Amino acid sequence: MKRIVVEKKILEKNDDIANSIRSLLNKNRVFGLNVMSSPGAGKTTLIERMVEALKPKYKIAAIDGDLDTQRDAQRIAALGIEAVQINTSGTCHLDSSMVQKALNDISLDLDLLIIENVGNLVCPASFYLGTHKNAVLISTPEGDDKVKKYPTMFNVADVVLINKMDIAQFVNFDVEKVEQEIKELNPNAMIFKISALKNDGLDEFLNWVEDNIQSIKNQ
Amino acid sequence: MKRIVVEKKILEKNDDIANSIRSLLNKNRVFGLNVMSSPGAGKTTLIERMVEALKPKYKIAAIDGDLDTQRDAQRIAALGIEAVQINTSGTCHLDSSMVQKALNDISLDLDLLIIENVGNLVCPASFYLGTHKNAVLISTPEGDDKVKKYPTMFNVADVVLINKMDIAQFVNFDVEKVEQEIKELNPNAMIFKISALKNDGLDEFLNWVEDNIQSIKNQ
């Protein structure tokens, strides 16, 4: 009981800061995308593909959340964009105050801000960061039962990317069942079947990102 | 700052209850094993294999943590042992009070109590449940960078099971690098390379479980 009260206070404070981040992004006409998934589902590889494809046309920066290493931000920065690593030292998600601090180190002369959350299919879903959209990755080797087991995460998704489709055949992944369960839980979520590693199936998702960038620009 | 203080209080209360669970397990000569991993790394399949192999010789029960579904406990109960599902309704880990409640529904005339934690490579590591040992699964498609990215979890592991070795070749998993990083971080952790799905490489791990069961019996 006590714990629930405390958590509400934390979430209220988180939302206040997130709302100010959203205002800042809107003022600067920056589309903010929060990317979430289990550990190892392919967030960083997806973001690498996004940067490779969109960098010729748009100004992009990334914020990478991780418990302890700087590997993710190093991978993204190697593509020639600004990337800030947040190390949460054990905390299982990013919160808006961490993002606010990271934004002090990023010029907002941008079109797209990508936030790579901590690898976790539970906690990040509860912490609004002020971004405009949530992208949730699920990878085929995790198994085809994740939508019903982690409903909070799939409920907050604007897009679900089913990744590692190239090895779906080796891991008995029933993609139709997963698509059906996503549609039942969250009918508004768009679904894209991709292999980020093989750079396969990403065109529609990239179009969706570009549409969002344009939509913010034209606000 | 405020949050850290609260978390300490929660962890202290958690440890008090966990210690009483440990006493209860010891009194009844039951070996308690806490199984943790990312979502979809293969916890339930591993536990199915354990039950199939050990049920002829030992009395086993399982407690399964999940956000929302009863699928895991149903899968385990289908093998003819007692299994209790804990639904955490969004909480990212089991805590000792949840386990204590579940134990009210389980006869402790047992040799082995297996606890399947919520699929999460972060939070469960911080909540001691009173079990004697921690088994951490990592699966090859998650990628070979997880040890350094999730050090808290690998620090608390007594055994690390590298699962889905049967598809390691399709996902560019460098098993020697992972073994080296585990040894550097936690030299006491035993490492087993397995495929739970194919029932391959489990003998040594099962011997380790049996040794622990016998060791508690002979206390």
Side-chain angles (χ1 to χ4, degrees), chain B residues 20-145:
Chain B
S20 71
I21 293 172
R22 171 69 79 98
S23 300
L24 192 69
L25 294 177
N26 285 342
K27 197 179 119 194
N28 287 277
R29 301 282 185 267
V30 182
F31 171 49
L33 181 68
N34 180 16
V35 182
M36 297 179 281
S37 79
S38 294
K43 289 182 296 303
T44 314
T45 304
L46 174 73
I47 295 168
E48 286 174 331
R49 296 291 167 270
M50 291 173 67
V51 172
E52 287 161 2
L54 299 174
K55 196 188 154 202
K57 292 165 75 176
Y58 302 101
K59 284 173 279 183
I60 311 172
I63 295 173
D64 290 274
D66 197 22
L67 299 197
D68 215 46
T69 75
Q70 303 202 40
R71 290 184 193 190
D72 295 340
Q74 283 165 351
R75 281 173 62 185
I76 304 300
L79 300 174
I81 69 161
E82 203 161 17
V84 175
Q85 183 77 57
I86 299 175
N87 283 136
T88 64
S89 309
T91 300
C92 56
H93 58 85
L94 293 180
D95 66 31
S96 57
S97 69
M98 299 174 192
V99 173
Q100 193 176 46
K101 272 180 212 137
L103 285 173
N104 290 333
D105 292 321
I106 292 177
S107 156
L108 281 174
D109 177 21
L110 288 178
D111 303 302
L112 171 62
L113 174 71
I114 306 171
I115 300 182
E116 178 177 357
N117 220 306
V118 176
N120 189 316
L121 213 48
V122 185
C123 326
S126 301
F127 286 80
Y128 171 51
L129 301 179
T131 49
H132 299 89
K133 302 281 178 179
N134 290 324
V136 174
L137 268 83
I138 176 173
S139 67
T140 60
E142 291 171 66
D144 53 22
D145 59 351

Side-chain angles (χ1 to χ4, degrees), chain B residues 139-207:
Chain B
S139 67
T140 60
E142 291 171 66
D144 53 22
D145 59 351
K146 294 297 163 288
V147 178
K148 290 209 170 164
K149 287 167 71 81
Y150 299 88
T152 316
M153 182 57 82
F154 291 93
N155 259 322
V156 302
D158 297 291
V159 298
V160 178
L161 296 127
I162 305 177
N163 193 22
K164 307 192 188 179
M165 284 302 297
D166 54 310
I167 55 167
Q169 58 182 310
F170 304 118
V171 292
N172 299 321
F173 185 86
D174 184 345
V175 69
E176 286 175 15
K177 174 189 148 189
V178 171
E179 287 184 284
Q180 188 56 39
E181 290 185 353
I182 295 167
K183 282 174 190 159
E184 279 168 20
L185 183 75
N186 182 354
N188 293 322
M190 300 183 73
I191 303 171
F192 302 106
K193 288 173 276 187
I194 66 167
S195 165
L197 192 69
K198 309 279 182 191
N199 207 355
D200 199 32
L202 280 160
D203 288 352
E204 281 183 75
F205 170 65
L206 292 169
N207 287 341

Side-chain angles (χ1 to χ4, degrees), chain A residues 124-181:
Chain A
S126 301
F127 286 79
Y128 171 52
L129 302 180
T131 50
H132 299 88
K133 301 282 179 179
N134 290 324
V136 174
L137 269 83
I138 175 173
S139 66
T140 61
E142 291 171 66
D144 53 22
D145 59 351
K146 293 298 162 290
V147 178
K148 290 208 168 162
K149 287 166 71 81
Y150 298 88
T152 315
M153 182 56 83
F154 292 93
N155 260 321
V156 303
D158 297 290
V159 299
V160 178
L161 296 127
I162 306 177
N163 193 23
K164 307 193 189 179
M165 284 303 297
D166 54 310
I167 55 167
Q169 57 181 313
F170 304 118
V171 293
N172 300 320
F173 186 85
D174 184 344
V175 69
E176 286 175 14
K177 175 189 148 189
V178 171
E179 287 185 284
Q180 189 56 40
E181 289 185 354

Side-chain angles (χ1 to χ4, degrees), chain A residues 184-195:
Chain A
E184 279 168 21
L185 183 75
N186 181 353
N188 293 322
M190 302 184 71
I191 304 172
F192 301 106
K193 289 173 274 186
I194 66 165
S195 166

